[in-house]
Amino acid sequence: MLLKRCKLKFVLLPFVFGLLVLSSCVSKKKMVYFQGTSEINAGSNKNYTPLFHTDDLLSITVTGLDPQSVQPFNMPVPDFNSNPGGYATGSPTPPGYLIDAEGFIEFPVIGKLKIAGLDRMAVTALLKEKLSPYVKNPTISLRILNYKVTVLGEVRNPGTFTIPNERITLPEALGIAGDLTISALRKNILVVRDVDGKKSETRIDLTSKDLFSSPVYYLHQNDIVYVEPNKTRMNSSALNASNAGVIISIVSLLATITILLAR
């Protein structure tokens, strides 16, 4: 009997040890970000400048030496108490110039201006040129009021996030969302972007330093980032209540047999 118990333990111990190793060890290559050489190639991202796009809501403020001369070119301060709105309840919709489907805004006195596809410096120069007959040495302040990105999937805090500085990288967006969960697939991050009315998809490997030269390293307005679950997560979610019950029953039966053999 003692010999039988020893043989049983000898058979079970490697099995149990193997299960513990497999359940506790995760490959470094699957978890660590930005692996590779020590040098980082920023590529075209080195001098990245965001462009204005359709559906951007712009705040444009004109100032000058003569307050009276710039008054016609500035929106009046709204009464938020009488006009609540926006995404969140009680959050007022800020006044601004919405870039239409053709890429234009309707600016006071001047009329329609093509803004989409231009960067901040180009729009500022265009406005100064158009305002020169009316305002001497105008100063232009530009800001996107609805710059936001959406992060979904295997992150700790998924959601849509408003970005106040209008410039955010993919790692920063994932950081705002609480970073990836342990069940996230780090090698196949999906970024969905609207380009001229068409959706483009780009896959990113967070474990590679090639991310820094990717065209989606800097996110654009309304980009969607989706983090897929890994195979372990998908397989575990595929188990419904009945399958789980069957597995528990089988495990209980094996445990009972093991105890009986050990006596």
Side-chain angles (χ1 to χ4, degrees):
M1 183 62 69
L2 181 60
L3 182 61
K4 184 184 292 186
R5 290 183 182 179
C6 291
K7 287 182 178 180
L8 182 62
K9 290 179 180 179
F10 181 78
V11 172
L12 289 177
L13 280 175
F15 177 73
V16 173
F17 179 76
L19 287 178
L20 291 174
V21 171
L22 289 174
S23 61
S24 61
C25 294
V26 179
S27 172
K28 176 183 176 181
K29 292 183 178 179
K30 293 182 179 180
M31 298 298 296
V32 178
Y33 297 166
F34 319 137
Q35 299 174 48
T37 60
S38 58
E39 296 182 359
I40 296 176
N41 180 19
S44 60
N45 292 323
K46 186 176 181 180
N47 299 313
Y48 170 78
T49 302
L51 304 178
F52 296 114
H53 299 279
T54 298
D55 294 331
D56 283 352
L57 183 65
L58 304 183
S59 169
I60 303 177
T61 304
V62 182
T63 57
L65 297 176
D66 183 6
Q68 295 296 326
S69 65
V70 300
Q71 186 176 357
F73 304 100
N74 291 306
M75 285 189 169
V77 178
D79 182 4
F80 287 141
N81 294 325
S82 62
N83 185 30
Y87 285 105
T89 303
S91 176
T93 302
Y97 300 92
L98 184 67
I99 302 179
D100 63 22
E102 281 88 37
F104 289 87
I105 62 170
E106 187 73 35
F107 200 74
V109 181
I110 296 175
K112 282 194 170 186
L113 292 175
K114 185 69 178 289
I115 299 296
L118 302 180
D119 61 18
R120 187 181 302 276
M121 291 182 62
V123 173
T124 300
L126 175 63
L127 285 170
K128 284 185 176 182
E129 178 189 346
K130 297 295 184 181
L131 289 170
S132 59
Y134 309 97
V135 183
K136 185 178 180 180
N137 297 325
T139 300
I140 311 297
S141 177
L142 284 173
R143 183 186 176 193
I144 302 178
L145 298 174
N146 63 341
Y147 193 107
K148 58 186 182 296
V149 296
T150 300
V151 184
L152 303 173
E154 288 294 324
V155 292
R156 289 184 173 85
N157 301 301
T160 298
F161 305 97
T162 300
I163 312 302
N165 59 359
E166 307 168 17
R167 181 180 168 112
I168 187 171
T169 66
L170 176 57
E172 287 173 335
L174 294 173
I176 293 174
D179 201 3
L180 279 63
T181 66
I182 196 67
S183 303
L185 185 61
R186 287 157 171 76
K187 289 180 173 287
N188 201 28
I189 307 298
L190 173 65
V191 178
V192 180
R193 174 170 295 172
D194 189 290
V195 180
D196 298 327
K198 297 180 180 179
K199 299 296 182 184
S200 69
E201 296 184 358
T202 304
R203 300 280 179 172
I204 291 297
D205 181 358
L206 282 184
T207 66
S208 171
K209 287 188 177 181
D210 292 340
L211 161 69
F212 296 101
S213 59
S214 167
V216 296
Y217 175 69
Y218 281 100
L219 297 178
H220 292 181
Q221 154 76 312
N222 288 326
D223 276 0
I224 299 173
V225 180
Y226 175 64
V227 182
E228 295 183 15
N230 57 25
K231 290 183 178 180
T232 303
R233 174 69 170 173
M234 289 190 291
N235 291 338
S236 63
S237 63
L239 294 175
N240 55 35
S242 60
N243 290 338
V246 172
I247 292 174
I248 291 173
S249 299
I250 294 173
V251 172
S252 300
L253 178 60
L254 291 175
T256 302
I257 294 173
T258 303
I259 292 172
L260 291 174
L261 291 175
R263 289 181 180 178

